[in-house]
Amino acid sequence: MSFPAPPTAVGSSALRVQLTYWWRHRRLARLSAPRLFTEWVQHRKLNDRDPRLPILADKVLVKDWVAERLGPEWITPTLWAGKVMPTRPDWPLPVIVKSRHGCNQNMVVRSLADHREAVRRARRWAGRPYGAWLDEWLYGEITRGVIVEPFIGTGEALPIDYKIFVFAGVARFVQVHLGRGEQHRWIVFDRAWKRVSLPTDDPDPVMPESLERMLAAAEELGREFPFVRVDFYEIDGAPRFGELTFYPGSGLEPIQPMRLDLLMGLLWTAAAADWLERGMLVHA
């Protein structure tokens, strides 16, 4: 299936997308007729200008949208949001500090010394645009800044991250992230909690008590898009919303086995065809 390409947006380069894809996968992406999931992510970078995406990837603005659809109990409260953090915390520790407009920019703050370091990092995060070199268009449309939330982990450990892949409103896979902040790794399960990624030394983690609630919530949040990843945590047996992601791993993290990359890609292909037929994809 081939899709019409809109005019290349400022900051989006098919050449750069191909170079970064080759760098990680050692092959070129089929940009006009994607088949693999990782290729579809590149296609979205270049072609999808749905104006809702920057709003829903904004870690501050997305909370109201999710609370309206799921209820306020799904949301981690915001302690503070802005561009320049105060020199002393006006909230109880520990907290997590993260940029509202980017990924992998976060820090757990447990002490005043940590807070001073967070202030320094936050100044750097807020002072720089995010996503340009990987052509992740939507991040450049988000107001740059920082958000502070209560730490919801247990002890020193960050909570397990359950990332649900939703195609055309149907939750298909759960990517479980382990060892965040340490030896980060992930395992992919189907919705029946059967591992579909490659065997590893890690035993399969226990299925979360609230998995069915997470799946239903992910489908509610993802029903308006051909694909979105909806992230959750489980806190004391109850699900908690994390964020929405439209470019998982920027499409540069290898998905193994390859047939999983293909299966996810075929699901996205079917979803995109349906959305195009119904006129629900928005391009600029």
Side-chain angles (χ1 to χ4, degrees), residues 40-238:
W40 266 110
V41 176
Q42 312 315 314
H43 183 276
R44 172 173 267 175
K45 290 178 188 179
L46 293 171
N47 297 297
D48 194 347
R49 295 296 181 265
D50 185 332
R52 297 172 298 177
L53 303 191
I55 296 169
L56 300 182
D58 185 321
K59 295 182 180 67
V60 174
L61 298 183
V62 71
K63 291 186 179 186
D64 287 340
W65 187 83
V66 172
E68 288 175 2
R69 285 156 178 77
L70 302 182
E73 69 277 8
W74 287 78
I75 301 302
T76 299
T78 298
L79 298 175
W80 180 89
K83 192 164 185 178
V84 180
M85 285 182 62
T87 55
R88 293 186 65 84
D90 191 26
W91 45 77
L93 302 179
V95 298
I96 186 161
V97 177
K98 50 192 176 184
S99 73
R100 67 182 288 179
H101 63 287
C103 299
N104 301 315
Q105 296 178 334
N106 56 74
M107 178 182 175
V108 178
V109 174
R110 303 181 186 277
S111 66
L112 290 178
D114 287 345
H115 181 82
R116 288 191 291 271
E117 174 62 17
V119 170
R120 187 184 68 81
R121 293 189 191 183
R123 188 180 301 116
R124 185 175 71 247
W125 297 337
R128 298 177 181 175
Y130 181 88
W133 76 283
L134 292 179
D135 292 278
E136 295 175 325
W137 157 80
L138 66 84
Y139 293 112
E141 301 296 309
I142 300 173
T143 299
R144 281 186 257 164
V146 180
I147 180 172
V148 179
E149 297 176 342
F151 180 70
I152 58 173
T154 302
E156 297 289 316
L158 292 166
I160 295 176
D161 218 344
Y162 302 99
K163 301 178 181 292
I164 300 178
F165 287 59
V166 182
F167 299 88
V170 180
R172 299 284 189 171
F173 302 101
V174 183
Q175 188 182 55
V176 182
H177 283 238
L178 305 172
R180 295 168 60 226
E182 301 168 356
Q183 295 179 331
H184 187 204
R185 58 213 186 273
W186 47 263
I187 303 168
V188 181
F189 295 88
D190 64 16
R191 59 184 297 145
W193 210 249
K194 177 182 177 183
R195 186 192 288 232
V196 293
S197 57
L198 293 177
T200 64
D201 292 336
D202 290 298
D204 288 356
V206 175
M207 184 175 72
E209 295 177 42
S210 60
L211 179 62
E212 288 303 318
R213 293 183 64 195
M214 289 183 191
L215 294 171
E219 292 181 338
E220 170 62 24
L221 299 179
R223 61 186 172 84
E224 298 178 18
F225 305 96
F227 167 78
V228 64
R229 196 190 74 198
V230 188
D231 300 355
F232 297 95
Y233 309 105
E234 184 175 73
I235 309 301
D236 297 326

Side-chain angles (χ1 to χ4, degrees), residues 7-40:
T8 302
V10 174
S12 293
S13 162
L15 175 59
R16 187 166 52 239
V17 164
Q18 285 287 23
L19 289 173
T20 55
Y21 193 83
W22 174 268
W23 165 58
R24 292 305 304 271
H25 297 289
R26 290 297 183 262
R27 62 179 182 270
L28 293 177
R30 289 162 288 209
L31 296 178
S32 62
R35 292 184 62 207
L36 303 174
F37 178 85
T38 51
E39 292 174 333
W40 266 110

